[in-house]
Amino acid sequence: AQTVTQSQPEMSVQEAETVTLSCTYDTSESDYYLFWYKQPPSRQMILVIRQEAYKQQNATENRFSVNFQKAAKSFSLKISDSQLGDAAMYFCAYRSLSNAGNMLTFGGGTRLMVKP
Amino acid sequence: DSGVTQTPKHLITATGQRVTLRCSPRSGDLSVYWYQQSLDQGLQFLIQYYNGEERAKGNILERFSAQQFPDLHSELNLSSLELGDSALYFCASSYSGRRTDTQYFGPGTRLTVL
């Protein structure tokens, strides 16, 4: 079974600065998807970014980018020019492409605080 | 707003009771997923339906059951409730249930068991 680990329970960043959230995963598969979801105080789960494992190029979405290191099984999220609205729980998630279902396996989450 | 709706938003009940959580997927989506978010277990997958049929099962207790109806809405039934069932229950939907589909989450139902 796959596991996802987020080793930083909490992180803080000054507004307008850059922060990187870490995620590692354990899998024996070669083909899979990785995701970062944001959960603000409203509790809504919002997709931030996704990465296909077969793509070497790191995904980017505006101020959000990932550093995907397949050999190291590492998938970190970089948030540039941090804004107060970025304060939230961030979850890293893995999805296998080799089993019948589409379930997401989540890490334990990182709480990001943004200081004005 | 993801387009996925869940009712009710909050539910408070007593141990031993039974509750039903409802989910309406985004327009056009055929697949529905249920997840549980609790302090103890984190976010974990419960079950997936695609076009009325069960597609995959995760860590779902025998006291819990789900179904997807012909109009594609889904219900999660929780019975013989225990204190440990208190959690946020999310429904997500995707178009086809293919492994490449993105799942969009609803706002969740917060269940409190007293």
Side-chain angles (χ1 to χ4, degrees):
Chain A
Q2 296 83 22
T3 58
V4 179
T5 302
Q6 293 179 247
S7 59
Q8 306 151 317
E10 278 191 4
M11 293 280 287
S12 67
V13 62
Q14 206 70 35
E15 196 176 5
E17 295 191 345
T18 296
V19 65
T20 299
L21 309 183
S22 301
C23 172
T24 58
Y25 56 95
D26 186 24
T27 184
S28 57
E29 299 171 340
S30 59
D31 204 9
Y32 47 87
Y33 277 39
L34 296 165
F35 302 83
W36 280 97
Y37 279 87
K38 170 185 177 181
Q39 187 178 39
S42 67
R43 298 292 190 175
Q44 176 81 48
M45 293 289 288
I46 302 165
L47 177 65
V48 175
I49 200 164
R50 86 176 198 177
Q51 174 80 43
E52 294 91 338
Y54 70 88
K55 288 187 178 178
Q56 292 190 342
Q57 187 173 8
N58 289 323
T60 62
E61 287 287 342
N62 302 312
R63 297 183 296 107
F64 299 87
S65 61
V66 298
N67 183 4
F68 173 49
Q69 301 288 328
K70 191 173 183 179
K73 296 178 184 174
S74 169
F75 182 60
S76 60
L77 175 70
K78 185 170 88 170
I79 306 173
S80 304
D81 186 25
S82 297
Q83 301 175 358
L84 295 177
D86 295 333
M89 284 289 291
Y90 286 82
F91 291 94
C92 177
Y94 173 102
R95 188 167 83 214
S96 168
L97 296 184
S98 61
N99 57 30
N102 292 21
M103 71 286 291
L104 295 168
T105 300
F106 287 91
T110 296
R111 181 176 303 281
L112 178 66
M113 294 172 286
V114 181
K115 299 176 183 176
Chain B
D1 184 358
S2 67
V4 180
T5 60
Q6 290 186 247
T7 56
K9 269 189 166 179
H10 304 278
L11 201 46
I12 301 174
T13 188
T15 54
Q17 294 299 304
R18 173 190 170 94
V19 297
T20 298
L21 312 184
R22 182 188 168 106
C23 167
S24 293
R26 295 185 320 157
S27 177
D29 282 0
L30 301 175
S31 199
V32 169
Y33 313 76
W34 287 96
Y35 292 87
Q36 179 196 58
Q37 185 177 26
S38 65
L39 288 175
D40 292 343
Q41 303 291 331
L43 257 167
Q44 57 177 358
F45 168 74
L46 295 178
I47 198 164
Q48 176 196 358
Y49 279 83
Y50 171 71
N51 206 19
E53 301 285 330
E54 183 182 304
R55 173 67 66 89
K57 224 169 186 176
N59 297 324
I60 188 166
L61 300 171
E62 285 191 11
R63 300 183 285 109
F64 295 2
S65 65
Q67 55 183 323
Q68 186 179 27
F69 294 86
D71 67 352
L72 300 176
H73 90 272
S74 178
E75 292 180 358
L76 178 67
N77 299 296
L78 315 176
S79 61
S80 302
L81 285 168
E82 302 174 359
L83 295 177
D85 297 328
S86 295
L88 188 56
Y89 291 85
F90 284 108
C91 169
S93 75
S94 69
Y95 169 57
S96 69
R98 282 200 316 267
R99 293 168 301 201
T100 53
D101 284 351
T102 293
Q103 295 177 30
Y104 295 92
F105 282 75
T109 292
R110 178 165 293 285
L111 173 65
T112 302
V113 182
L114 301 176

